[in-house]
Amino acid sequence: MIKTLILPYKVLSLPSANVGGLKQVKATMSKMDFSVTKGKMELSITRPDDWHLHLRDGDLLEAVISHSAFHFGRGIIMPNLKPPIKTAAAAVAYRESILKALPPNSDFTPLMTLYLTDTTSPEEIAVARESGVVYGVKLYPAGATTNSQDGVTDLFGKCLPVLEEMVNQNMPLLVISLIL
């Protein structure tokens, strides 16, 4: 369980952005325990999400997944493997290998992402949304970090049609924040 610091009651506010719809907000809120004492509020999150999870594959996946699944309910899975997860079919297959590596009775949910490249097609974004397992597309500038050799070289040129389809599909763009 993770406990936050105690804040004055009036300071706490929840974001109004529609990240996954009202159903997801209610489900997330049900995992939280709020208590108010003498004008102060304490928030306990019993099972947080990992919003940037590198599981890798093979032996590393086997070594890491049980620890992540023990501490987190869900994880946004980073796609920068060798080879990277560039298609919905690859994301589905990678998700299956993650689920197979989970400890028995685990309820961990991997939220899959695609690796954006200069050659990603708008059609692949639609297929990814239809898959029901891909929740975002990760932007890696080419050469900027681990396994980013296949990353984007021309975001607003070569990738603009993909970005437009991502808007149409309500598919988030996940941006790696680096100081270059």
Side-chain angles (χ1 to χ4, degrees):
M1 177 182 326
I2 296 176
K3 288 199 172 189
T4 65
L5 55 110
I6 297 175
L7 300 172
Y9 179 36
K10 292 181 182 175
V11 173
L12 182 68
S13 64
L14 295 172
S16 60
N18 184 359
V19 177
L22 187 55
K23 226 184 241 183
Q24 184 175 353
V25 171
K26 285 180 181 176
T28 302
M29 296 294 288
S30 70
K31 296 177 187 175
M32 298 180 188
D33 175 31
F34 292 94
S35 60
V36 179
T37 309
K38 296 183 183 177
K40 294 191 178 195
M41 180 181 282
E42 182 177 306
L43 168 64
S44 298
I45 303 174
T46 57
R47 199 88 192 278
D49 293 339
D50 186 332
W51 287 17
H52 187 109
L53 183 55
H54 289 277
L55 293 175
R56 302 298 181 208
D57 54 0
D59 291 341
L60 284 174
L61 170 62
E62 296 286 336
V64 170
I65 189 63
S66 62
H67 301 287
S68 295
F70 178 77
H71 293 287
F72 299 101
R74 301 179 305 175
I76 297 177
I77 310 302
M78 295 298 105
N80 57 331
L81 303 179
K82 284 187 176 181
I85 306 300
K86 297 190 277 185
T87 66
V92 168
Y94 184 32
R95 181 177 184 271
E96 288 303 316
S97 67
I98 292 167
L99 294 173
K100 190 160 64 166
L102 282 170
N105 302 318
S106 174
D107 64 349
F108 177 80
T109 303
L111 306 174
M112 307 309 292
T113 60
L114 295 186
Y115 184 113
L116 182 63
T117 70
D118 289 341
T119 59
T120 303
S121 71
E123 295 78 20
E124 189 61 44
I125 300 304
V127 170
R129 173 55 75 203
E130 290 171 18
S131 75
V133 302
V134 177
Y135 289 86
V137 177
K138 184 74 177 188
L139 167 63
Y140 296 97
T145 190
T146 306
N147 297 340
S148 65
Q149 63 277 2
D150 295 312
V152 171
T153 63
D154 185 9
L155 181 62
F156 295 112
K158 296 176 181 175
C159 298
L160 188 58
V162 171
L163 297 174
E164 290 170 341
E165 184 61 23
M166 288 171 63
V167 169
N168 293 338
Q169 296 292 334
N170 195 26
M171 179 76 71
L173 177 65
L174 310 176
V175 181
I176 187 166
S177 60
L178 299 170
I179 299 173
L180 300 176

